[in-house]
Amino acid sequence: MDKHADKQFVQQKFGQITRYYDFLNSLLSLGIDHYWRWRAVKELVNSSLLGDNKEVFLDLCAGTLPLSRALKRWTPFQGKIVALDFAQPMLVYGRKKWRDKDVWPVAGDALCLPLRDNSIDAVMVAFGVRNFTNRLAGLKEILRVLKPGGRALILEFSHPFNPFLKEIYFTYLNHLLPHIGGIISGDKEAYCYLADSIQAFYTPKEWMELMQRVGFTNIKHKYLTGGIVSVYMGEK
């Protein structure tokens, strides 16, 4: 078992900062988060065989639905999206801001997905796997629900590979991010957790080895923005 935050703690914190979540994501990333999601959904759709509009994608740890919106806005995908998150207030808030008949919000646990084996064409996760209380179990669940040949795309924070940029970035994470996030959301603890979870997360090599251990094949990795973010792709 990895060392991460307690599930109840994470669920509570995300529920408390729901109304500020999207705004702070854009503010704290200087708007680059939109570019990251754009790149991620483009990577996923370009690697998938879109056919007769009957594909079903799973947006795991969907939050307020920004990744689902990106998929629908920036790609030719015309299938269905199951948008699942264990923080129901985030799904409710996202649904109030954006409704789409082909997006089905579902409150559920990533470690025990309410989906059949081999039922999903592709799984996408943006900045969510850090919050799994058991990352190995979470990856196994993703693999279980994917159809043979289906792909998983994971967009997650990593560490800049340039030492100078890495020092600046970690200073920002440890000092500015919790301070700004705390002032606006009223919950500094949530943004201290965010900073800690980013710094403690796997290196790309370690994460790819974990994906391989679970059973993913054709695993690929790309850095974005100097290594601040990584895109991972794996196939069942």
Side-chain angles (χ1 to χ4, degrees):
M1 174 77 72
D2 312 292
K3 182 183 179 182
H4 357 62
D6 175 78
K7 173 184 171 181
Q8 189 173 4
F9 169 86
V10 177
Q11 191 173 31
Q12 178 186 15
K13 289 302 175 185
F14 277 102
Q16 289 174 349
I17 64 173
T18 293
R19 59 183 295 202
Y20 306 101
Y21 186 74
D22 291 332
F23 170 72
L24 278 169
N25 279 347
S26 292
L27 176 66
L28 294 171
S29 70
L30 303 179
I32 304 174
D33 62 311
H34 299 287
Y35 163 73
W36 293 334
R37 292 188 189 90
W38 173 78
R39 281 292 301 271
V41 295
K42 287 287 188 180
E43 291 282 344
L44 179 58
V45 169
N46 288 344
S47 71
S48 301
L49 297 175
L50 300 183
D52 54 6
N53 300 336
K54 294 182 180 179
E55 295 90 355
V56 179
F57 282 18
L58 171 62
D59 180 2
L60 190 55
C61 306
T64 55
L65 311 178
L67 195 61
S68 291
R69 292 198 300 270
L71 181 69
K72 296 285 284 187
R73 178 181 179 185
W74 289 321
T75 77
F77 177 77
Q78 296 295 320
K80 308 293 185 182
I81 303 172
V82 177
L84 185 142
D85 200 285
F86 72 164
Q88 188 172 7
M90 300 200 79
L91 291 173
V92 172
Y93 187 79
R95 195 62 165 171
K96 285 180 180 178
K97 292 177 61 180
W98 177 67
R99 287 185 176 274
D100 187 300
K101 63 181 178 60
D102 294 324
V103 178
W104 307 325
V106 176
D109 190 342
L111 304 188
C112 186
L113 294 172
L115 298 166
R116 300 190 309 273
D117 295 359
N118 308 312
S119 60
I120 298 294
D121 294 285
V123 178
M124 54 185 190
V125 193
F127 309 114
V129 294
R130 293 189 335 277
N131 302 315
F132 289 178
T133 54
N134 186 320
R135 289 159 185 162
L136 187 66
L139 284 174
K140 287 180 178 178
E141 275 294 273
I142 292 172
L143 193 68
R144 177 183 68 79
V145 301
L146 275 174
K147 294 178 180 178
R151 292 174 172 85
L153 176 135
I154 296 169
L155 176 65
E156 191 52 86
F157 288 109
S158 50
H159 299 168
F161 44 77
N162 180 285
F164 179 68
L165 179 59
K166 183 175 182 178
E167 184 175 349
I168 293 175
Y169 181 57
F170 278 19
T171 299
Y172 166 76
L173 285 180
N174 290 319
H175 301 288
L176 281 179
L177 185 146
H179 183 68
I180 297 171
I183 289 175
I184 295 175
S185 72
D187 193 339
K188 184 177 181 179
E189 188 178 25
Y191 286 89
C192 286
Y193 161 73
L194 174 62
D196 291 343
S197 68
I198 291 172
Q199 293 176 85
F201 193 65
Y202 296 92
T203 65
K205 182 176 183 293
E206 291 169 340
W207 184 251
M208 292 171 73
E209 287 174 350
L210 194 63
M211 291 180 68
Q212 186 177 36
R213 176 180 166 192
V214 166
F216 284 99
T217 60
N218 298 326
I219 301 167
K220 299 176 182 178
H221 165 256
K222 284 187 178 180
Y223 278 124
L224 300 180
T225 318
I228 290 176
V229 162
S230 284
V231 178
Y232 303 92
M233 190 87 71
E235 185 176 324
K236 180 172 180 177

